[in-house]
Amino acid sequence: MDLTIWARDLAGSLLAEPLPRRWAHSQGVAARAQSLAGILGDDAELLWAAAMLHDIGYTPSLATTGFHPLDGARYLRDRSAADERLVQLVANHSYALLEAEERGLREELEAEFPILDHAELVDALVYCDMTTAPDGTPTTVDARLAEILTRYDRDSIVGRFIRRADEDLRAAVRRVEARLILAER
């Protein structure tokens, strides 16, 4: 089966009914991924699938640790036989390692799902996630980070994580934007 059809169908089956806003976000992140096809070449389909699936760990039936990158990656690895690179992207999307540390899960995440050794692809998923609003519409990284901090208390796990990851997230977005500019020339 085609990877994109499989990813869309799986994400929709897990997110559409219980978490329609998360489903809208995932579809928007995948649309952003589609816009990067010109700079990703053979990895465009993999990015699209990771973008579509990156938040499946929020699905109540999958949320065993409460840390959605880890829960989603475990589901993909254990129950879907997904490609290892796809699983690694989902597990580590948007600097998840820093949030895992805040949750006391860093060693577990690193041991099970090492970060994919493909910086451009990792950056591309950060770009897609951090430039898509919760409702799936395009946004800026500034607006996205500010929006996240309005939903979480500054001293919460997510609040601390976002403050720690802020510069890394912005730098990844800038790197992708630079690649897009170069590709237009």
Side-chain angles (χ1 to χ4, degrees), residues 47-121:
L47 175 66
W48 193 94
M52 185 58 75
L53 294 165
H54 79 286
D55 276 352
I56 63 167
Y58 280 114
T59 302
S61 63
L62 305 185
T64 56
T65 68
F67 182 45
H68 77 277
L70 184 57
D71 292 337
R74 283 178 172 167
Y75 176 84
L76 290 171
R77 178 194 63 201
D78 299 341
R79 301 202 351 230
S80 76
D83 175 270
E84 184 179 351
R85 295 185 329 142
L86 174 61
V87 176
Q88 287 174 287
L89 284 167
V90 169
N92 290 288
H93 74 272
S94 300
Y95 289 88
L97 204 55
L98 294 176
E99 185 175 346
E101 188 172 311
E102 292 287 335
R103 294 176 178 275
L105 295 169
R106 182 179 177 127
E107 288 179 17
E108 208 168 324
L109 183 63
E110 284 179 313
E112 288 184 53
F113 306 105
I115 293 175
L116 184 65
D117 186 23
H118 191 318
E120 291 174 344
L121 197 52

Side-chain angles (χ1 to χ4, degrees), residues 6-18 23 52-53 56:
W6 172 80
R8 184 197 65 225
D9 290 351
L10 180 59
S13 73
L14 292 169
L15 294 171
E17 188 176 313
W23 173 229
M52 185 58 75
L53 294 165
I56 63 167

Side-chain angles (χ1 to χ4, degrees), residues 2-185:
D2 178 85
L3 179 61
T4 58
I5 293 169
W6 172 80
R8 184 197 65 225
D9 290 351
L10 180 59
S13 73
L14 292 169
L15 294 171
E17 188 176 313
L19 301 168
R21 189 165 163 93
R22 188 69 56 190
W23 173 229
H25 171 71
S26 294
Q27 292 176 88
V29 174
R32 276 291 211 209
Q34 185 66 40
S35 75
L36 300 182
I39 64 169
L40 290 176
D42 293 341
D43 289 323
E45 187 176 76
L46 177 61
L47 175 66
W48 193 94
M52 185 58 75
L53 294 165
H54 79 286
D55 276 352
I56 63 167
Y58 280 114
T59 302
S61 63
L62 305 185
T64 56
T65 68
F67 182 45
H68 77 277
L70 184 57
D71 292 337
R74 283 178 172 167
Y75 176 84
L76 290 171
R77 178 194 63 201
D78 299 341
R79 301 202 351 230
S80 76
D83 175 270
E84 184 179 351
R85 295 185 329 142
L86 174 61
V87 176
Q88 287 174 287
L89 284 167
V90 169
N92 290 288
H93 74 272
S94 300
Y95 289 88
L97 204 55
L98 294 176
E99 185 175 346
E101 188 172 311
E102 292 287 335
R103 294 176 178 275
L105 295 169
R106 182 179 177 127
E107 288 179 17
E108 208 168 324
L109 183 63
E110 284 179 313
E112 288 184 53
F113 306 105
I115 293 175
L116 184 65
D117 186 23
H118 191 318
E120 291 174 344
L121 197 52
V122 171
D123 280 354
L125 187 53
V126 171
Y127 170 86
C128 295
D129 190 20
M130 290 296 121
T131 61
T132 304
D135 65 1
T137 59
T139 190
T140 65
V141 66
D142 293 336
R144 176 79 164 119
L145 292 171
E147 180 278 322
I148 292 169
L149 288 173
T150 64
R151 285 188 283 134
Y152 296 93
D153 182 79
R154 180 175 172 78
D155 294 320
S156 69
I157 289 171
V158 175
R160 290 191 311 268
F161 153 67
I162 286 296
R163 288 195 330 270
R164 283 183 63 198
D166 182 281
E167 190 48 44
D168 291 325
L169 294 166
R170 291 174 193 276
V173 169
R174 285 191 304 267
R175 287 189 295 270
V176 172
E177 290 171 341
R179 288 183 64 209
L180 286 168
I181 291 168
L182 286 174
E184 290 176 6
R185 292 182 182 168

